[in-house]
Amino acid sequence: DSVAGYYFGSANLSQHGIPNFQRLTPGNIPNNRWIAISKSALYAEPGFAWIKSQKLVARVGNSMLLYYIK
């Protein structure tokens, strides 16, 4: 599986043990992958509104939300 994510930060997540990480872009709906997005990005960026209709899999820490898109 691969991971697409969006958060307000500068860390290169592929260097932290997250395999196949790609930056999620607003309005782009990826198929068959994990989505990690910060709560602030989800509600601040209208292009991510489609994620709100997906089933939340887990919360990671205080600010990250994890979804799986089929």
Side-chain angles (χ1 to χ4, degrees):
D1 287 334
S2 59
V3 177
Y6 191 94
Y7 73 106
F8 297 116
S10 60
N12 181 348
L13 297 183
S14 63
Q15 295 179 347
H16 295 281
I18 299 175
N20 301 319
F21 178 79
Q22 296 177 356
R23 185 148 176 96
L24 183 65
T25 56
N28 181 22
I29 303 173
N31 293 320
N32 298 323
R33 71 177 56 213
W34 290 97
I35 301 290
I37 187 166
S38 70
K39 288 191 287 187
S40 56
L42 181 62
Y43 290 98
E45 175 56 61
F48 293 133
W50 62 271
I51 296 175
K52 297 175 190 174
S53 67
Q54 303 299 311
K55 183 179 177 186
L56 178 65
V57 174
R59 293 180 189 273
V60 181
N62 291 325
S63 63
M64 294 298 290
L65 304 173
L66 186 65
Y67 297 86
Y68 187 78
I69 308 301
K70 295 181 182 179

